[in-house]
Amino acid sequence: MDHAADAHRTDLMTITRFVLNEQSKHPESRGDFTILLSHIVLGCKFVCTAVNKAGLAKLIGLAGETNVQGEEQKKLDVLSNDVFVKALISSGRTCILVSEEDEEATFVEPSQRGRYVVVFDPLDGSSNIDCGVSIGTIFGIYMVKHSNEPTLDDVLQPGENMVAAGYCMYGSSCTFVLSTGVGVNGFTLDPSLGEFILTHPDIKIPNKGKIYSVNEGNAKNWDGPTAKYVEKCKFPTDGSSSKSLRYIGSVLYEVFPMSFLMERAGGQAFTGKQRALELVPKNIHERSPIFLGSYDDVEEIKALYAAEGKE
């Protein structure tokens, strides 16, 4: 990439322009998705600013509550959740919101109701903000099934029914990654413009990766295939080089949105039993194991599970 040339580009593809271009390909579109996404982007900009000055604003620390996963809520978690809930409701395009931080789903009142369901983790990995590592917002968007009176059935859909998914990572730069079903694109926030600019068009995952990421602290709980695969990453038997380990316990995954992005970029997402996006959740905060990665690497994991099943 020619950074010197990029610095003088005047034909910038902002995320708003990008989504409007995509919208123009669908004449039947009413622009509802574009409006919804603009509110998500606004929420991300707000949280990015809050993250950058969290120490100065005394936003680091515990808020005295725990979320539905039993994790102690940081003040920044609570703030971020409030920001996104209000941004999504005010868009007038949502009917149900499901947040990692709220035990119950939020049903938007009829006067502000739209046709989209949004599931999100407002600030994944916030416990690491004191360390200066990346944290982020993860979201997925569904179309409501029952337009007259939305119910939890509209939320409990398999991930393959999503119309869009993405995440925004707050670190040395603020990066917004989005898929609306075809391809994956990355945008970087230009602070001087206050706009997300397309910097990583059509992101693709290589067929085979050189890095593996896993929490070794959970090794005692791993099943056989997982332990065998990690061992193979460290000590390959086919003469290839060992994979490098990179791990930070933040922006790990929310199964469906990250699986959606992974598949659209050419990778795979597997639960150990099935394709992750075919999983049908039974409740809004259900958990699942997940393998996300390059196509060939996940094929190896599938083979290990298949072999164990035959034993």
Side-chain angles (χ1 to χ4, degrees):
M1 182 180 289
D2 187 342
H3 293 286
D6 283 349
H8 298 287
R9 284 170 54 204
T10 55
D11 185 25
L12 299 176
M13 178 63 76
T14 65
I15 192 167
T16 303
R17 178 180 166 192
F18 179 86
V19 175
L20 286 171
N21 285 353
E22 291 297 305
Q23 178 186 320
S24 67
K25 299 174 184 177
H26 304 278
E28 74 284 0
S29 174
R30 303 184 303 187
D32 287 353
F33 178 79
T34 304
I35 293 170
L36 172 59
L37 191 66
S38 70
H39 280 71
I40 292 175
V41 168
L42 178 61
C44 290
K45 290 177 182 177
F46 187 103
V47 173
C48 180
T49 301
V51 167
N52 288 338
K53 61 184 181 184
L56 293 173
K58 298 183 179 179
L59 290 171
I60 294 175
L62 299 178
E65 302 283 345
T66 57
N67 66 16
V68 294
Q69 305 293 1
E71 301 161 338
E72 290 187 314
Q73 290 179 306
K74 289 278 191 175
K75 295 175 184 176
L76 207 52
D77 281 339
V78 178
L79 172 67
S80 301
N81 192 52
D82 288 346
V83 166
F84 278 102
V85 168
K86 289 173 181 175
L88 291 167
I89 291 176
S90 66
S91 73
R93 301 301 184 273
T94 59
C95 57
I96 309 176
L97 309 178
V98 175
S99 168
E100 172 84 8
E101 302 300 328
D102 295 328
E103 187 170 353
E104 303 292 336
T106 299
F107 287 83
V108 180
E109 60 183 55
S111 63
Q112 293 182 289
R113 192 173 287 170
R115 53 180 181 159
Y116 290 103
V117 175
V118 182
V119 295
F120 60 99
D121 185 343
L123 199 61
D124 192 32
S126 62
S127 59
N128 290 325
I129 191 171
D130 300 8
C131 310
V133 299
S134 298
I135 56 180
T137 299
I138 306 172
F139 65 91
I141 302 173
Y142 292 96
M143 184 77 77
V144 68
K145 292 191 295 185
H146 310 101
S147 55
N148 294 332
E149 193 58 44
T151 68
L152 275 184
D153 284 343
D154 292 302
V155 179
L156 301 177
Q157 303 183 52
E160 61 187 353
N161 289 0
M162 283 183 171
V163 296
Y167 66 84
C168 188
M169 190 161 63
Y170 316 108
S172 56
S173 61
C174 182
T175 307
F176 191 99
V177 176
L178 173 71
S179 175
T180 56
V182 180
V184 180
N185 293 277
F187 304 80
T188 303
L189 182 63
D190 183 332
S192 64
L193 298 175
E195 291 279 5
F196 280 101
I197 308 298
L198 180 64
T199 50
H200 298 78
D202 197 22
I203 297 170
K204 293 296 181 188
I205 293 170
N207 286 336
K208 196 167 183 64
K210 298 178 180 179
I211 296 169
Y212 75 103
S213 179
V214 66
N215 186 348
E216 295 270 4
N218 291 327
K220 67 178 182 179
N221 301 318
W222 291 346
D223 60 14
T226 302
K228 288 177 183 177
Y229 183 76
V230 173
E231 186 72 7
K232 189 176 179 181
C233 289
K234 298 176 182 178
F235 307 103
T237 57
D238 58 1
S240 61
S241 299
S242 301
K243 292 183 185 291
S244 298
L245 172 65
R246 299 284 187 274
Y247 179 77
I248 295 177
S250 59
V251 194
L252 284 177
Y253 58 79
E254 295 298 329
V255 172
F256 284 163
M258 298 308 290
S259 297
F260 188 91
L261 290 169
M262 188 63 64
E263 286 198 2
R264 297 312 185 273
Q268 291 195 76
F270 180 60
T271 67
K273 295 181 179 179
Q274 66 184 114
R275 175 176 170 243
L277 290 180
E278 292 177 352
L279 185 69
V280 180
K282 296 180 178 63
N283 63 72
I284 61 174
H285 294 297
E286 184 173 341
R287 290 189 169 204
S288 170
I290 185 71
F291 295 93
L292 299 164
S294 297
Y295 191 93
D296 291 349
D297 290 331
V298 177
E299 282 295 304
E300 288 184 32
I301 292 169
K302 288 181 178 178
L304 289 170
Y305 273 95
E308 184 184 63
K310 293 177 181 178
E311 293 176 0

